[in-house]
């Protein structure tokens, strides 16, 4: 800090906050006069306000005002008074804060007045008073630019950008953010530069580029962390992006973490209300309306006390949405009136979310049996389908589809559903992450259900199949985007394997270091996942014309490809499970029964099989009875219509953990399970690699794995196959990835772990630690056939609308034709003869499903996934 100009201390607050804190304390300790002391107190007040205790900030700033008054400098007093006004407002004392800002604006002149107007505009923006905020900025920006006050002018442009964003003007906002960043480049204002990066992330989000938004917000967070300055508005920005990406649970955890930190720091009440609102949105999107209503209600009470009408009305919207989404709560006529009035208030405030209030009012009117009121509100909501972000336009098409359903216009209904899904698909193509591809489908679930419900009602099973396929396992249909050759990401994956390896040892030994190692693992997982979320997808630039239809030719190709076989596609609509049985050139629909019953029977069967897996000679009668119960629930009458032909089973994602080999009609039949009929067709046409490379891997700690791998190697010896064996400490992740890349066949005898909380961290345990789905996504070419002989290795998590994530999907997306794996625990000893029989059949030219059928015997653990 310059000794000649104590004002440098204020410039240092955001640029180098730690130095500013020390300098302010030194200035006070040195016995400075009232003018200099007021600057030091103001600096301490700003530091407390932004990064610490708000009440301490107000106390410091009140002292700063008194000292400035004693100094006789009106300019100094008005500047501090404006800073105090912001702190009072952020503490929830809105009237006192605005009064202080108004007094400062009246007394100040010149550049100081422009700075005060900028701060009052910030207060008005916080309160949702966007018109008055722009009025203040209209005076402040030119004055600050004329005075060559670079940092404050850049801050004012940044604020104007945020106000523009709130009003839905994305392009002018982005222009202001970019200008501000360019202005701050030559300065030493590191905090403001980090804010500029954050704002670019917000602008990228509003233009729909979520990978770029996440990358920029991560960069901003790293900068703030280096400066030691927690930014709670960054928490809100990141949560908004996570919600748009379908990561609702992540957003809720992030918002709750911000709330805990804010409480610990005794931070701004205004920030607390905003974080409660974003947490409510996250809870609603993640299917927890009770928590959403609770958080939104608390946020609304805080906003009301803070006189923040804009924010309060948005919180009220979530309260009403949560109430309507609560199961078994009948619609109330009073709620319709509240939603109607809320829509009017949001329109008066210029909110871009007014369409959501109209959509809600339309839904409530439908539930109350008032089609006239529903039509009025849904028509208003449908107005956004031609403008705004893709996700909002998709919401507009949903409103249009609901209108068409009420009006009994099926062509219009299906057109609206196609248009909405096409927009969501366009949005998904910006993602390179397979996780985001899958999660983003959730927004289209209701559109698909509307179309399915109509086709079910009119008895069109062939078109019902096409529409089900339109939105099932769609992430597997998108060309895989290889992660960039990022040395840092590779290092993090290697560090994660090492941390997992050390953690397993520490747990085995009961070491005290286990807790610290678990924290290290979580931190590394977060970094790996974050890096993959930044990957940008392949966009086609294609826009929806309104003429596209689900591909009817694909159904014809499917029926032709089946030949004499059968495909059973299971479809759940409004709680009822249906089976579309395809074969002999036709598609026929059969009702299996309640979906709840099917889910319950799957869970019951899995729990019994977990116990029976550890019995040497399980009771075959019990297995048959268990399978018969399960078969009746998931296939119903179709089980008796299959004949002796090979079968492809295509269940909804929620039934993929079904132990299909347990079903009596399937136990002696070649069958394969596919995420979708389209995925089966693609897997069936996968190109067989040149050569006959076979990779055999034995992981650590697997009983009987030595014998398993040794005997399989003997089967392929002396033939046309090039066999490599990785065992005895050589089965490391880099070696295994190199061996299986582009191979004809890979067999991995390694323990597996399924991670329902983060499916792509599901793993196979190798000599140097876990091989995860993220590792497999780095393969240049997937193995043509893969056999996983460990427990639960074929498990996948149901996510999004009807998507799957796990080790198997990572490989299917890369082009693996077929996988043999288990969806239940495996008896290691009895699995060995099954594996030997499987490979004997493969060696003799049988397909995966046929070879597994002949080798299975009484085993019910393993299934073929993909194309058999």
């Amino acid at each position: 800090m310059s000794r000649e100009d104590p004002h440098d201390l204020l410039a240092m607050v955001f640029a180098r906050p730690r130095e500013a804190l020390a300098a302010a304390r030194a200035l006070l300790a040195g016995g400075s006069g009232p003018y200099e002391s007021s600057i030091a107190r103001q600096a301490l007040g700003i530091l407390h306000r932004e990064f610490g205790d708000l009440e301490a900030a107000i106390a410091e700033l009140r002292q700063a005002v008194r000292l400035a008054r004693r100094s006789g400098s009106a300019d100094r007093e008005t500047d501090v008074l404006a800073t105090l006004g912001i702190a009072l407002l952020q503490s929830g004392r809105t009237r006192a804060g605005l009064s202080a800002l108004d007094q400062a604006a009246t007394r100040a002149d010149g550049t100081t007045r422009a700075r005060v107007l900028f701060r009052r505009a910030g207060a008005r923006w916080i309160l949702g008073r966007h018109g008055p905020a722009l009025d203040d900025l209209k005076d402040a920006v030119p004055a600050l630019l004329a005075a060559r006050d670079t940092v404050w002018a850049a801050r004012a442009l940044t604020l104007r950008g945020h106000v523009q964003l709130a009003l839905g003007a994305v392009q002018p906002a982005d222009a202001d953010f970019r200008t501000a960043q360019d202005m701050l480049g030559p300065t030493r204002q590191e905090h403001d530069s980090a804010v500029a990066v954050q704002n670019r992330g917000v602008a990228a989000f509003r233009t729909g580029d979520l990978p770029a938004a996440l990358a920029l917000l991560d960069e901003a967070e790293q900068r703030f962390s280096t400066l030691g300055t927690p930014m709670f508005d960054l928490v809100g920005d990141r949560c908004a992006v996570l919600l748009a990406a379908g990561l609702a649970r992540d957003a809720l955890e992030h918002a709750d973490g911000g709330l805990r930190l804010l409480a610990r720091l005794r931070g701004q009440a205004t920030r607390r209300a905003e974080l409660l609102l974003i947490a409510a949105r996250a809870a609603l999107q993640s299917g927890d309306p009770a928590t959403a209503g609770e958080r939104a209600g608390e946020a609304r009470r805080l906003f009301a006390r803070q006189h923040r009408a804009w924010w309060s009305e948005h919180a009220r919207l979530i309260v009403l949405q949560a109430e309507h989404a609560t199961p078994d709560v009948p619609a109330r006529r009073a709620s319709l009136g509240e939603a109607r009035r809320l829509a009017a208030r949001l329109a008066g405030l210029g909110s871009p979310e007014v369409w959501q209030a109209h959509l809600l009012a339309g839904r409530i009117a439908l539930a109350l049996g008032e089609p006239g009121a529903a039509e009025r509100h849904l028509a208003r909501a449908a107005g956004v389908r031609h403008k705004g972000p893709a996700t909002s336009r998709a919401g507009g098409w949903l409103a249009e589809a609901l209108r068409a359903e009420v009006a009994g216009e099926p062509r219009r209904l299906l057109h609206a559903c196609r248009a909405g899904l096409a927009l969501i698909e366009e949005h998904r193509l910006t993602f390179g992450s397979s996780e985001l591809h899958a999660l983003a489908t959730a927004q289209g679930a209701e559109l698909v259900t509307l179309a399915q419900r109509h086709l079910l009602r009119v008895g069109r099973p062939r078109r019902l199949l096409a529409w089900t396929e339109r939105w099932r396992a769609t992430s597997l249909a998108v060309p895989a985007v290889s992660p960039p050759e990022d040395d840092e990401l590779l290092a993090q994956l290697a560090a994660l394997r090492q941390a997992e390896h050390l953690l397993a040892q520490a747990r085995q030994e009961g070491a005290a270091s286990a807790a610290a190692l678990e924290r290290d693992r979580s931190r590394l997982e977060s970094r790996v996942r974050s890096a993959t979320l930044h990957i940008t997808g392949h966009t086609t630039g294609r826009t929806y014309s309104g003429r596209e239809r689900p591909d009817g030719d694909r159904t014809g190709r499917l029926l032709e490809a089946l030949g004499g076989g059968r495909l059973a596609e299971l479809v759940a609509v409004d709680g009822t499970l249906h089976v579309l049985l395809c074969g002999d050139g036709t598609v026929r629909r059969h009702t299996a029964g309640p979906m709840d019953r099917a889910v319950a029977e799957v869970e019951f069967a899995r729990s019994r099989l977990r116990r029976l897996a550890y019995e040497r000679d399980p009771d075959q009668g019990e297995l048959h009875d268990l399978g018969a119960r399960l078969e009746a629930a998931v296939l119903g009458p179709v089980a008796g219509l299959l004949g002796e032909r090979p079968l492809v089973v295509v269940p909804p994602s929620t039934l993929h953990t079904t132990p299909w080999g347990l079903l009596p009609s399937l136990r002696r039949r070649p069958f394969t399970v596919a995420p979708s009929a389209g995925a089966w067709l693609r897997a069936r046409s996968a190109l067989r690699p040149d050569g006959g490379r076979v990779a055999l891997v034995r992981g650590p700690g697997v009983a009987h794995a030595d014998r398993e791998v040794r005997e399989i190697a003997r089967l392929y010896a002396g033939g046309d196959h090039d066999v490599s064996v990785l065992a005895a400490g050589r089965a490391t992740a880099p070696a295994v990835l190199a061996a299986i890349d582009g191979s004809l066949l890979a067999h991995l005898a390694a323990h597996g772990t399924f991670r329902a909380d983060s499916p792509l961290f599901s793993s196979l345990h190798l000599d140097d630690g876990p091989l995860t789905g993220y590792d497999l996504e780095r393969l240049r070419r997937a193995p043509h056939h893969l056999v996983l002989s460990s427990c639960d290795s074929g498990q996948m998590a149901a996510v999004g609308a009807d998507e799957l994530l796990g080790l198997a999907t990572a490989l299917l997306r890369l082009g693996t034709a077929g996988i043999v794996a288990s969806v239940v625990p495996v008896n290691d000893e009895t699995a060995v003869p099954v594996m030997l029989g499987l490979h004997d059949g493969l060696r003799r030219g049988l397909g995966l499903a046929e070879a597994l059928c002949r080798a299975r015997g009484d085993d019910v653990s393993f299934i073929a996934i993909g194309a058999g």
Side-chain angles (χ1 to χ4, degrees):
M1 182 183 71
S2 167
R3 290 182 177 274
E4 289 75 19
D5 189 357
H7 292 94
D8 287 350
L9 177 57
L10 295 175
M12 194 191 299
V13 165
F14 290 111
R16 301 182 300 284
R18 293 188 184 96
E19 291 181 39
L21 179 63
R25 287 172 175 168
L27 191 62
L28 291 171
S32 300
Y35 189 95
E36 291 80 4
S37 295
S38 80
I39 292 175
R41 294 290 180 189
Q42 184 181 10
L44 290 173
I46 295 171
L47 286 165
H48 282 304
R49 185 190 71 192
E50 296 298 320
F51 316 123
D53 187 331
L54 199 53
E55 291 306 314
I58 291 170
E60 292 284 1
L61 291 169
R62 289 193 193 282
Q63 284 195 63
V65 170
R66 289 193 291 270
L67 287 164
R69 193 170 295 138
R70 278 177 51 198
S71 76
S73 171
D75 194 66
R76 173 98 286 274
E77 184 180 348
T78 55
D79 189 69
V80 182
L81 195 58
T83 305
L84 174 62
I86 293 292
L88 289 168
L89 184 103
Q90 290 175 337
S91 72
R93 284 165 268 191
T94 303
R95 287 194 179 90
L98 287 176
S99 175
L101 285 160
D102 289 343
Q103 289 179 52
T106 301
R107 298 178 191 175
D109 55 24
T111 302
T112 300
R113 182 173 184 275
R115 291 183 177 187
V116 170
L117 289 176
F118 154 70
R119 282 177 278 197
R120 189 171 69 178
R124 288 170 164 175
W125 170 60
I126 290 171
L127 295 170
R129 302 175 186 178
H130 299 120
L134 287 175
D135 290 341
D136 277 345
L137 290 168
K138 186 177 180 181
D139 292 334
V141 170
L144 292 168
L145 289 170
R148 299 182 182 276
D149 194 346
T150 303
V151 172
W152 284 82
R155 290 171 180 169
L157 286 169
T158 295
L159 176 59
R160 190 171 72 182
H162 281 295
V163 179
Q164 304 265 31
L165 277 183
L167 295 172
V170 178
Q171 289 183 338
D174 187 49
D176 278 345
F177 290 151
R178 288 182 180 276
T179 302
Q181 185 176 15
D182 291 342
M183 291 173 68
L184 289 167
T187 72
R188 296 186 64 197
Q189 293 296 318
E190 295 172 23
H191 178 88
D192 286 283
S193 295
V195 170
V197 174
Q198 175 186 347
N199 291 332
R200 283 183 52 215
V202 173
F205 161 54
R206 294 298 293 270
T207 57
D209 190 350
L210 302 194
L214 287 168
L216 287 164
L217 294 178
D218 279 352
E219 180 186 343
E221 184 176 42
Q222 290 172 5
R223 292 189 182 204
F224 290 132
S225 178
T226 301
L227 291 169
T229 55
M231 290 294 290
F232 294 101
D233 55 346
L234 177 62
V235 175
D237 292 340
R238 184 190 295 280
C239 287
V241 178
L242 292 171
L243 283 174
L247 298 166
R249 281 290 166 195
D250 296 68
L252 183 55
E253 290 173 11
H254 202 62
D256 283 347
L259 285 165
R260 287 191 296 270
L261 178 59
L262 191 67
R264 197 159 61 244
L265 296 176
R266 299 174 65 196
Q268 303 164 5
T270 51
R271 293 289 186 223
R272 174 172 173 76
E274 291 162 18
L275 286 176
L276 282 167
L277 181 62
I278 198 75
R281 285 197 180 112
L284 185 63
Q285 191 168 310
S286 61
D288 186 355
T291 299
E294 188 179 296
R295 302 283 175 84
E298 186 180 352
R300 186 168 183 249
R301 289 189 290 274
L302 283 172
F303 288 136
R305 287 202 293 269
Q306 296 163 9
H307 305 283
R308 300 171 71 183
W310 166 280
W311 295 89
S312 180
E313 299 299 351
H314 286 80
R316 180 60 181 154
L317 173 61
I318 295 179
V319 169
L320 289 176
Q321 288 172 326
E323 179 183 293
H324 184 69
T326 302
D328 304 320
V329 174
R332 297 183 298 114
R333 194 164 301 279
S335 296
L336 177 58
E338 289 179 48
R340 183 179 64 248
R341 290 189 292 274
L342 176 63
R345 291 195 297 271
L346 288 173
L349 290 167
S351 169
E353 294 182 17
V354 64
W355 69 271
Q356 291 195 36
H358 282 297
L359 178 59
L360 174 64
R363 289 184 188 279
I364 296 171
L366 288 176
L368 291 170
E370 297 189 16
E375 164 61 22
R376 287 193 297 276
H377 287 290
L378 292 173
R380 297 288 297 275
V384 300
R385 67 190 186 277
H386 297 303
K387 59 186 178 182
T391 51
S392 296
R393 283 182 285 153
W397 281 112
L398 172 60
E400 177 67 10
L402 290 169
R403 292 177 69 200
E405 184 181 45
V406 173
E409 299 180 24
R411 289 171 64 91
R412 180 177 154 208
L413 165 68
L414 295 178
H415 169 81
C417 292
R418 281 194 294 272
L421 292 177
L423 278 169
I424 298 168
E425 184 66 19
E426 181 184 328
H427 171 62
R428 289 172 63 228
L429 287 174
T430 63
F431 304 145
S433 159
S434 57
E435 181 181 7
L436 293 185
H437 267 295
L439 291 169
T441 60
Q443 191 181 5
E446 189 173 359
L447 288 165
V448 173
T449 298
L450 286 169
Q452 288 174 322
R453 185 183 295 143
H454 163 68
L455 295 167
L456 194 61
R457 187 167 53 242
V458 298
R460 300 288 296 276
R462 188 164 174 145
R463 293 196 70 189
L464 177 58
L465 173 65
W467 271 93
T468 301
E469 283 289 303
R470 176 72 175 81
W471 215 240
R472 173 170 285 183
T474 57
S475 61
L476 299 181
V478 179
V481 178
S482 298
E485 289 300 322
D486 185 339
D487 290 339
E488 184 177 349
L489 177 56
L490 287 171
Q492 287 170 351
L493 285 167
L496 178 58
R497 278 192 292 277
Q498 177 67 5
E500 186 72 56
H501 187 65
L502 294 173
L503 176 58
Q505 287 183 336
R507 283 173 172 167
Q508 190 173 5
E509 297 166 2
S513 59
L517 287 167
E518 192 153 357
R519 287 193 296 271
D520 286 344
R521 182 190 66 177
S522 296
R523 176 178 51 81
L524 288 164
E525 283 184 352
S526 177
R527 288 182 179 177
V528 168
R529 185 164 176 256
S530 178
T532 61
L533 296 181
H534 298 169
I535 301 170
T536 302
H538 300 306
T539 54
T540 62
R542 179 176 174 274
T543 56
Y544 176 71
S545 69
R547 295 185 296 274
E548 291 91 336
R549 295 175 55 167
D551 188 357
D553 292 339
R554 183 180 299 168
T555 304
R557 292 199 305 271
L558 171 65
L559 293 170
E560 183 180 349
L562 285 171
R566 292 282 186 270
L567 182 142
E569 180 128 356
L570 281 61
V571 185
V573 181
D574 295 330
T576 299
L577 184 63
H578 305 269
V579 182
L580 300 175
L581 186 59
C582 309
D584 294 331
T586 64
V587 181
R588 292 186 172 86
R589 184 190 64 81
H590 303 270
T591 301
M595 183 63 176
D596 288 347
R597 178 190 168 205
V599 171
E601 288 296 341
V602 168
E603 286 307 308
F604 178 71
R606 288 177 57 80
S607 68
R608 299 294 292 165
L609 287 175
R610 276 192 286 271
R611 179 181 63 80
L612 293 171
Y614 301 102
E615 294 185 8
R616 182 177 294 274
D617 295 307
D619 185 337
Q620 292 300 313
E622 181 181 357
L623 285 174
H624 182 276
D625 293 344
L626 194 60
R629 282 182 54 175
L630 180 60
E631 183 171 270
V634 298
L635 291 183
V638 171
L641 304 175
L642 298 176
E644 301 297 325
R645 305 178 186 187
L647 178 69
V648 181
V649 183
V650 182
S653 59
T654 47
L655 294 182
H656 247 278
T657 57
T658 302
W660 298 101
L662 184 63
L663 275 59
S665 63
L666 303 187
R667 286 190 73 173
R668 304 292 180 236
R669 173 199 309 277
F671 73 91
T672 187
V673 181
S676 68
W680 177 77
L681 279 172
R682 287 188 298 275
R684 185 174 176 273
S685 61
L687 295 176
R688 183 183 175 95
D690 296 331
R693 284 199 300 117
V694 175
L696 306 177
V697 178
R698 192 218 70 189
V702 181
H704 310 287
D706 277 328
R707 176 193 162 206
E708 180 181 320
V709 170
R710 186 173 60 251
E711 293 295 328
I712 294 172
R714 187 174 294 130
L715 283 172
Y716 290 104
D720 297 330
H721 298 95
D722 177 12
V723 182
S724 62
V725 178
L726 295 174
R730 295 187 300 115
T732 62
V736 169
L737 290 171
I740 69 174
D741 198 302
S743 64
L744 173 66
L745 172 64
H747 178 106
L748 278 67
H751 284 307
T753 298
F754 173 67
R755 289 276 301 276
D757 64 317
S758 193
L760 288 175
F761 281 116
S762 298
S763 60
L764 298 169
H765 302 176
L766 301 179
D767 287 327
D768 62 340
L771 180 78
T772 69
Y774 290 110
D775 290 300
L776 293 173
E777 286 187 333
R778 301 190 67 81
L779 289 169
R780 290 171 298 174
R781 186 175 179 186
H784 187 66
H785 283 151
L786 177 71
V787 179
L788 302 172
S789 61
S790 60
C791 300
D792 297 312
S793 53
Q795 275 218 70
M796 294 173 273
V799 299
D802 201 358
E803 303 289 316
L804 292 162
L805 282 179
L807 291 177
T809 55
L811 290 161
L812 290 172
R813 191 176 183 214
L814 287 170
T816 291
I819 300 169
V820 168
S822 69
V823 291
V824 291
V826 172
N827 184 309
D828 292 335
E829 183 177 4
T830 59
V832 173
V834 177
M835 292 294 102
L836 294 178
L838 168 69
H839 281 279
D840 184 55
L842 293 175
R843 182 181 60 85
R844 292 185 288 109
L846 298 179
L848 277 180
E850 180 69 31
L852 180 60
C853 177
R854 296 191 184 190
R856 182 182 290 122
D858 291 328
D859 178 82
V860 297
S861 304
F862 292 99
I863 59 171
I865 302 170

